[in-house]
DNA sequence: TTTATTATGTGATATATATCAATTTCTAAT
DNA sequence: ATTAGAAATTGATATATATCACATAATAAA
């Protein structure tokens, strides 16, 4: 069994802990293996743990008025999930679901809070994380509002290629419905947008496999909206 | 002159400082009186200070591809502005402009960071603030995407009434263009939405003065989109 | 296999809202 | 008060995309 101490991929925050603090962390922390589709946290339920996504990929989603959830963001390995709620409110305000097989560590709320209060560097790392996160939202927000569907899809494809998969040929582990929920559109419009981008020769798509053929053109569409 | 020590409306974070730390804060902090329209921080410029909005109201806005800025949020008194950038990136990623006469304290970056690293409670309060903020975005995001203009305007009117002005009769210190930038629409559509809500007797509007006549109906429109 | 179920694709149509153009109202300056 | 400039309103039109309806493909179950 891997302890927090021996864990090679612990967060920067955890790296800043003293031996004693790391021991506290270790005692109140459980690692769980998830498969795609497993729920990490669920909107509306009491928040008892903070989740740390060690490996894998998850979607952060939220109920709207309409039936389908909206996908707020994709959480990559190294992300803390559910800490927003844990510190002030007690009920999770959003859900998180693994979209790839993932390893997740659950840390008890009380422990998490204690570490923040004990170790300023731990808190500092969390602040960095939260700030970074907020800036991403600002960007996403601006892009979503000012671009139309083709541009938003281009953004998403480039995001998966550059930030997540680091490859020009990759799987986007989202259904067309989920893609729509992510770029704030509909299944049908996503299908058509994929066709548009394929037709002009920027990408090649088979099911969930995307291959970027002409990056420059794709970037141009992303930039022009 | 008001010192940080004697300041009655210092932030919860500052309240947690020791006398010595408060002295450090005091030495690197300047209070400035702004009038509506004054810039607090500007996107693209080097971030040297964190701003604390002591009193007043400000808009947080960001350049898009199109000419007009988008308004990401309204910052109320008690908000820290510009701390996202200061900790990781060096260039402000968004602008902040006073939309009412305001008192703002500017704290040097180095000092701000020092206090985070010295005092875990200070950091903890900032984390609370950031988490709260993030949850607001999630809500705003969900609402914006799923409601149409009338519903989004209703949201905004209720937001100013309940959260900011705490009155059913109040001034929204935004032009129609700014209102549009806030609810992600256009000047003309905002005008028409205001007319819609007036026509059905939910509100009464003269220029920037809004009076809520039928709250229940307004809430209903907000909820149904 | 066959059948049921779910995901995806495609065409036709509806609609909310952006855009364009012209007018009126408000505000500030001389 | 008069003029100039900006902000807001109003109407007509264009358009991106949602919605609806149906067809097809992929997947899981019997």
């Amino acid at each position: 069994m891997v302890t927090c101490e021996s864990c090679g991929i612990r967060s920067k925050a955890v790296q800043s802990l003293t031996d004693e603090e790391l021991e506290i962390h270790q005692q109140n922390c459980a690692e769980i293996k998830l498969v795609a589709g497993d729920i990490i946290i669920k909107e509306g339920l009491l928040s008892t743990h903070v989740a740390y996504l060690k490996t894998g990929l998850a979607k952060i989603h939220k109920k709207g008025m309409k039936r389908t959830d909206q996908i707020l963001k994709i959480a990559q390995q190294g992300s803390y999930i559910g800490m927003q709620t844990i510190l002030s409110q007690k009920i999770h305000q959003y859900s998180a679901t693994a979209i790839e097989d993932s390893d997740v560590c659950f840390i008890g709320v009380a422990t998490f809070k204690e570490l923040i209060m004990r170790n300023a560097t731990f808190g500092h790392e969390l602040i960095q994380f939260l700030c970074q996160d907020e800036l991403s939202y600002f960007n996403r927000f601006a892009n979503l509002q000012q671009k139309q569907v083709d541009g938003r899809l281009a953004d998403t494809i480039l995001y998966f290629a550059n930030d997540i998969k680091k490859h020009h040929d990759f799987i986007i582990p989202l259904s067309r419905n989920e893609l729509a929920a992510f770029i704030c559109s509909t299944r049908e419009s996503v299908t058509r947008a994929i066709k548009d981008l394929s037709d002009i020769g920027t990408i090649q798509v088979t099911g969930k496999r995307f291959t970027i053929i002409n990056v420059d053109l794709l970037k141009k569409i992303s930039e022009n909206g």
Side-chain angles (χ1 to χ4, degrees), chain A:
Chain A
M1 183 206 160
V2 183
T3 61
C4 296
E5 204 179 355
S6 68
C7 174
I9 47 177
R10 54 192 165 168
S11 70
K12 273 193 86 179
V14 170
Q15 282 171 41
S16 74
L17 297 179
T18 64
D19 289 350
E20 190 193 347
E21 288 159 358
L22 196 57
E23 181 59 27
I24 297 173
H25 190 272
Q26 167 74 41
Q27 293 296 327
N28 296 278
C29 174
E31 183 175 342
I32 291 175
K33 286 204 175 300
L34 300 179
V35 300
D38 285 351
I39 292 168
I40 299 170
I41 65 171
K42 194 156 167 59
E43 184 176 356
L45 297 187
L46 204 69
S47 59
T48 53
H49 293 78
V50 174
Y52 177 70
L53 190 61
K54 254 176 88 166
T55 67
L57 220 51
K59 62 172 178 177
I60 308 297
H61 48 117
K62 188 173 170 62
K63 280 200 208 58
M65 295 164 311
K66 301 182 183 171
R67 275 149 262 126
T68 46
D69 275 22
Q70 282 185 88
I71 298 181
L72 299 166
K73 70 161 177 168
I74 303 297
Q76 287 193 68
Q77 55 190 86
S79 304
Y80 279 102
I81 297 172
M83 71 178 269
Q84 294 82 10
T85 337
I86 232 153
L87 294 164
S88 45
Q89 309 200 233
K90 285 169 196 152
I91 307 293
H92 284 303
Q93 303 292 303
Y94 58 82
S95 298
T97 306
I99 54 173
E100 283 182 357
D101 297 353
S102 305
D103 293 318
V104 180
C105 295
F106 287 91
I107 305 115
V109 195
T111 306
F112 200 75
K113 276 191 193 172
E114 189 191 337
L115 292 174
I116 291 172
M117 295 301 277
R118 272 179 79 133
N119 188 323
T121 312
F122 185 79
H124 179 247
E125 290 299 335
L126 294 180
I127 290 174
Q128 300 268 25
F129 173 78
L130 289 168
C131 288
Q132 203 52 55
D133 230 38
E134 193 160 7
L135 291 179
S136 311
Y137 286 118
F138 285 174
N139 274 318
R140 177 160 150 73
F141 190 90
N143 284 331
L144 271 177
Q145 295 307 332
Q146 303 212 338
K147 292 178 184 175
Q148 47 202 63
V149 176
D150 284 13
R152 281 161 15 212
L153 179 66
D155 277 352
T156 302
I157 294 170
L158 286 168
Y159 169 61
F160 270 91
N162 299 331
D163 291 358
I164 300 184
K165 300 295 185 171
K166 322 244 183 218
H167 210 277
H168 64 288
D169 179 28
F170 52 90
I171 303 282
I172 297 184
L174 297 173
S175 69
R176 299 289 127 115
N177 260 320
E178 287 175 314
L179 262 178
F182 186 56
I183 67 171
C184 301
S185 179
T186 58
R187 186 177 52 85
E188 294 95 324
S189 294
V190 167
T191 300
R192 278 182 258 264
I194 290 174
K195 197 165 179 295
D196 286 348
L197 296 184
S198 298
D199 285 352
I200 58 170
T202 55
I203 53 170
Q204 212 172 314
V205 183
T206 334
K208 293 188 170 65
R209 158 163 257 114
F210 288 70
T211 312
I212 297 180
I213 295 167
N214 188 336
V215 202
D216 294 332
L217 189 53
L218 194 57
K219 277 185 188 158
K220 209 171 166 184
I221 288 164
S222 156
E223 280 157 18
N224 297 329

